[in-house]
Amino acid sequence: MATNAEIAGRFEEFADLLEANDVEYKPRAYRRAAENIGAHPVPIADRVEAGDEEILEEIDGVGDAISSKVIEYVETGEIEELEELRAELPIDIADITRIEGVGPKTAGKLYRELGIETLDDLEEAAENNEIQEVKGFGPKTEQNIRENIDFAREVGQRQLLGEARPLADDVLAFLDGLKAVERCEVAGSIRRWRETIGDVDALVATEDGEAVVEAFVDWDSVDSEIESGPEKASIRVGEIRVDLRVVVPEEFGSALQYFTGSKDHNVALRNYAIDRGMKLNEYGAFDVSDVEDHEAGQRVGERVAGETEDGMYEALGLPWIPPELREDRGEIAAAENGELPDLLERDDIRGDLHTHTEWSDGNTTIEAMVDAAAEMGYDYYAVADHAEGPGIVGGMGLSDTEILEQVEAIREVAAARDIAVFAGIEANVDADGEIDLSEEVIDALDVIVASTHSALGQDAETATERLVRAAENPAIDVLGHPSGRLLNERSGLDFDATALGAAAAEHGTALEVNANPRRLDLWGSAVQAALEEGAPIAINTDAHQPSTLEYMRWGVHTARRGWAEPADVINTWELEELREFLH
């Protein structure tokens, strides 16, 4: 069964191939449709297969032509027009365009000039100095390609959390409905909410492993079976691999702890156990204080825990450590000393301070976005459309005059609603760390988010100085997606998160965790470094339509990976406290 993310991916590829062929306008329409399909809260393929094709009429940007292609894909597994484009341009477009600075048009030109179809072809051409001979290219571009090949290969093997976690939820719902399943949970990096994952790992406690495996590989959503046995199986759903492991109920907790990881956390925890005469593994926690040969087997010694994950930590005198923290960044010492953070929860969020409307590159009206925020139970909400500036393509940024007009429009909407609505803007942090807004505009706005959209190839020292300068600007309330990265697409700025956190703390500027699953910027370790310096954090969705306000889920878990507590995050604060901060 095709997922929304898989269908969206086909239209992203459509857009890339059309752009590689120098087709104008149409790629933007396909990208808009892809974004809205990917963000749609209901599984589209399920509804289409059930004969409810009207669901496509609900999706903004999906007209008759695109609807017919969605239906064709759901029914046949391919789109004829896309297959024709692939034949015309047989390029691994997704892989090649992961190279920083290589977009679809560049990929198309390199194919036509040098016959480059794959990353291997691209690497070979760069090593042979062939790319710099193509008109419009040069040694610097060729060197950039050479340096980014490994990055493109690595990220091409991983899935975005926002694409994989919904599938993981479906897997758990399916397994939980099986009679033979006593307990089930995801494990691995997806349980730790890493921003990208290799595959989905699921763990089941059962007395009848063969029945669970048999049902798993026969699940209606399975596209292909990779392997199966009495205790484990692997399938593929769309482009994502799902690995199942079954264990007896009394070993579920130890297996869950072991397979959740991370490897570094587990090694540190095992060493902590050894120092206390204990042995930990996937079968349980064992007291080996009276055992001479600890390596005599996996189950040597007296088994003191294993049925529950909490018990594995309790056996060592530790409280349970939340999965997001298990990266060996001080969590075991914090647990030992009673200093684990009281982590932020989704329900702590009171509002969203970085969202877009059709005034810039969003997909709907101010009214629709505000009403959607109110329906989520938020106390406050900010519209922060793009200002003009570097990195904003297609003339979608607002001029100072347009910003002032929008402020008035926002005030009118706010006057008719119970939710507090802030008039904001997303300004552009230029290469020197400055923003280009008039004093009149700054005075008129309630909140200014400033983000990097260009000059993302700066070295770490220059990038840090640039971001620190922005954090020091008294007009800026929130520094949006500081690195400018796009997961699996571009690496963005490399910078010193500790130095940025110190500047943000000193000048009262919030650092954003951008919850869009393509960004998750800041990320866990950067959030932790910033919080250690006392910097305030904002978690925002960067939503471009009502459904993507739900991205907040990804942002909250990313902030949890950085040890964030509710008080650290400005959009958990009471309205008046937030107003004071912004002013």
Side-chain angles (χ1 to χ4, degrees), residues 406-432:
Q406 190 190 45
V407 169
E408 293 304 312
I410 292 170
R411 302 285 184 233
E412 289 181 15
V413 172
R417 282 155 178 83
D418 292 331
I419 186 173
V421 185
F422 295 119
I425 201 70
E426 184 181 9
N428 301 282
V429 177
D430 68 18
D432 297 319

Side-chain angles (χ1 to χ4, degrees), residues 226-394:
I226 299 172
E227 59 182 345
S228 64
E231 297 179 347
K232 57 185 178 180
S234 297
I235 60 171
R236 196 169 297 281
V237 179
E239 299 173 355
I240 302 177
R241 176 177 172 135
V242 183
D243 294 330
L244 170 70
R245 184 177 294 266
V246 296
V247 298
V248 292
E250 56 267 30
E251 294 179 351
F252 181 80
S254 52
L256 182 60
Q257 192 285 318
Y258 179 85
F259 289 113
T260 293
S262 67
K263 179 181 178 181
D264 290 340
H265 173 81
N266 283 355
V267 168
L269 193 66
R270 286 200 299 271
N271 289 336
Y272 185 90
I274 289 169
D275 291 342
R276 287 153 182 81
M278 300 287 291
K279 178 175 181 173
L280 299 187
N281 55 40
E282 64 189 277
Y283 305 107
F286 300 87
D287 184 342
V288 293
S289 56
D290 295 328
V291 176
E292 291 186 9
D293 184 4
H294 295 179
E295 304 302 321
Q298 294 284 11
R299 296 179 173 90
V300 297
E302 179 188 359
R303 187 174 187 271
V304 297
E307 186 172 354
T308 69
E309 189 179 55
D310 287 26
M312 294 293 289
Y313 289 94
E314 289 171 5
L316 302 177
L318 298 175
W320 178 77
I321 298 175
E324 295 97 325
L325 302 187
R326 301 181 198 175
E327 299 292 349
D328 193 26
R329 295 203 305 262
E331 68 274 10
I332 296 174
E336 182 181 26
N337 297 325
E339 297 174 351
L340 284 174
D342 183 11
L343 292 179
L344 172 79
E345 300 285 351
R346 172 66 182 84
D347 289 345
D348 293 320
I349 300 296
R350 295 175 179 267
D352 197 332
L353 302 176
H354 177 182
T355 67
H356 296 271
T357 75
E358 62 187 8
W359 280 67
S360 65
D361 62 341
N363 295 332
T364 192
T365 64
I366 296 171
E367 292 88 343
M369 293 299 288
V370 171
D371 289 343
E375 288 175 9
M376 295 180 72
Y378 284 158
D379 297 331
Y380 44 80
Y381 175 79
V383 173
D385 275 312
H386 288 287
E388 291 178 331
I392 303 303
V393 298

Side-chain angles (χ1 to χ4, degrees), residues 429-500:
V429 177
D430 68 18
D432 297 319
E434 305 293 338
I435 61 172
D436 185 17
L437 295 175
S438 70
E439 288 300 322
E440 182 183 11
V441 165
I442 291 172
D443 290 342
L445 292 166
D446 300 316
V447 55
I448 295 176
V449 180
S451 309
T452 57
H453 296 100
S454 62
L456 300 179
Q458 292 175 320
D459 62 71
E461 182 178 358
T462 303
T464 301
E465 291 174 354
R466 170 190 185 181
L467 294 174
V468 165
R469 190 173 299 117
E472 293 172 343
N473 188 329
I476 296 174
D477 300 300
V478 179
L479 188 61
H481 52 73
S483 81
R485 75 179 186 179
L486 290 175
L487 291 167
N488 286 2
E489 295 179 45
R490 68 184 185 214
S491 55
L493 295 170
D494 184 16
F495 61 88
D496 183 337
T498 297
L500 178 59

Side-chain angles (χ1 to χ4, degrees), residues 134-154:
V134 178
K135 185 177 180 181
F137 295 78
K140 186 175 180 180
T141 301
E142 189 170 69
Q143 180 63 23
N144 175 71
I145 290 172
R146 207 176 285 126
E147 291 173 352
N148 282 279
I149 287 285
D150 288 343
F151 169 81
R153 284 204 176 100
E154 179 182 351

Side-chain angles (χ1 to χ4, degrees), residues 124-194:
E124 183 179 355
E127 294 296 338
N128 293 334
N129 299 322
E130 296 174 4
I131 293 173
Q132 62 181 286
E133 301 300 325
V134 178
K135 185 177 180 181
F137 295 78
K140 186 175 180 180
T141 301
E142 189 170 69
Q143 180 63 23
N144 175 71
I145 290 172
R146 207 176 285 126
E147 291 173 352
N148 282 279
I149 287 285
D150 288 343
F151 169 81
R153 284 204 176 100
E154 179 182 351
V155 300
Q157 298 171 8
R158 300 188 67 80
Q159 300 286 336
L160 298 184
L161 173 67
E163 296 174 354
R165 183 70 206 205
L167 172 60
D169 294 341
D170 290 344
V171 170
L172 286 180
F174 170 74
L175 292 172
D176 194 46
L178 298 178
K179 183 180 294 186
V181 172
E182 296 188 22
R183 297 178 63 192
C184 60
E185 183 57 274
V186 291
S189 56
I190 202 164
R191 187 168 180 239
R192 303 196 314 275
W193 297 84
R194 280 197 61 183

